[in-house]
Amino acid sequence: MQKLIKWFGYGAVALVGLFLIAVGYVYWKSEAILNKTMDLAPITLDLPPADSAAVARGRHIALAYGCRDCHGPDLAGLPTIDAMPLAYIPASNLTPAGAGAYYSDGDWLRAIRHGIGPDGKSLWLMPSAAFTRLSPADLAALIAFLKQVEPVRRDLPQKRFGPYGRLLLVRGGFTLAADRVNHSVPFRAAPPAGPTRAYGDYLAHMCRSCHGQNLAGGRSEFPAAGVITANLTPGEDGIAHYSEADFVRALREGVKPSGAQMESIHMPWQATAALTDTEIRAIWVYLQDLKPERTIIR
């Protein structure tokens, strides 16, 4: 009996030791992921003088692309994820009392388009993949708007990953912002604004972060969201049952053809409500021209 107790004790010590080794590895590996720097070539973009038209265009982009959904109505930051033991991740203060106090034009470009902070490390939760196709003019307008918003001071706790979040990082279940971006996408001018397929394609790029590259929906690419997004292609598995009026109502009010209200976590309709009639029409024209796809949930 004493020998059995002794071996049981040895086994318990071994298990505890293996557990501590595993915990240490997860912490070490997750720290390496969080502190990895990205070697990007210097980004240059000639930003034109910020006139009132550019600022107004930038304000529109900030509304329609959902900047206020994460960063708050005043853009001074909000807790985007507050779910320990996963993580506590606040969206940054973008006003001149926060990031705007020290961001250069190049810093804004790297953060918005590449998901990379001034220190060269990946931002944690910025959906930069939705911004990679923004034209130079639209990027310049957005930056011009952000640089002139009202300064707001807001103290938020330090961002941090909990033990479960660190495990997800190591296992690939949580992807940092810069790792979801195609950094080789070149700058291109936007097509002329109008209710056309080309302009709809340009605008619909913002939808791909959640609805997938083929817009067929499935599990969201947004890190650790676990949300199943809708199929936007025009098949029976997608929006074949939508009329254009249904589509407009979905983007303006977050209401499905059935009359059911969409949850904002599934569809940020408060942001898409800011799209103009022409922009919504262009997206509709583009989606109707896509090949119908099946939703595949992995």
Side-chain angles (χ1 to χ4, degrees), residues 12-235:
V13 169
L15 287 174
V16 170
L18 288 173
F19 174 76
L20 292 176
I21 290 171
V23 168
Y25 171 77
V26 168
Y27 184 83
W28 167 78
K29 183 65 175 178
S30 61
E31 280 292 289
I33 293 171
L34 294 172
N35 289 301
K36 182 180 70 173
T37 56
M38 308 291 286
D39 186 19
L40 267 187
I43 301 172
T44 57
L45 182 64
D46 292 329
L47 300 183
D51 56 21
S52 59
V55 171
R57 175 62 180 166
R59 179 182 293 107
H60 174 70
I61 294 169
L63 282 170
Y65 274 67
C67 298
R68 286 184 164 93
D69 286 355
C70 292
H71 295 276
D74 54 9
L75 297 175
L78 287 175
T80 305
I81 292 181
D82 186 0
M84 283 298 182
L86 174 63
Y88 174 81
I89 306 177
S92 301
N93 183 341
L94 301 183
T95 78
Y102 59 90
Y103 267 36
S104 67
D105 289 345
D107 290 334
W108 281 117
L109 283 169
R110 278 186 292 274
I112 294 169
R113 199 169 188 267
H114 295 275
I116 297 173
D119 58 1
K121 299 176 185 177
S122 176
L123 303 176
W124 288 8
L125 209 59
M126 171 67 187
S128 294
F131 293 85
T132 54
R133 281 185 59 188
L134 269 187
S135 70
D138 279 348
L139 278 166
L142 179 57
I143 293 169
F145 166 68
L146 292 173
K147 289 166 70 172
Q148 59 80 59
V149 297
E150 188 73 22
V152 178
R153 296 193 179 278
R154 177 166 299 137
D155 293 326
L156 292 168
Q158 186 71 23
K159 65 182 182 180
R160 61 193 183 278
F161 273 96
Y164 180 55
R166 287 181 176 273
L167 180 61
L168 285 178
L169 270 174
V170 172
R171 297 185 61 185
F174 193 113
T175 309
L176 299 180
D179 294 325
R180 290 182 285 112
V181 175
N182 179 358
H183 299 285
S184 64
V185 174
F187 285 113
R188 290 194 181 97
T196 63
R197 186 191 190 283
Y199 193 54
D201 183 14
Y202 173 74
L203 296 168
H205 187 72
M206 67 179 174
C207 308
R208 288 185 163 90
S209 288
C210 292
H211 292 275
Q213 291 304 306
N214 62 356
L215 295 175
R219 198 171 303 279
S220 173
E221 293 180 14
F222 204 71
V227 172
I228 305 302
T229 59
N231 186 336
L232 301 184
T233 68

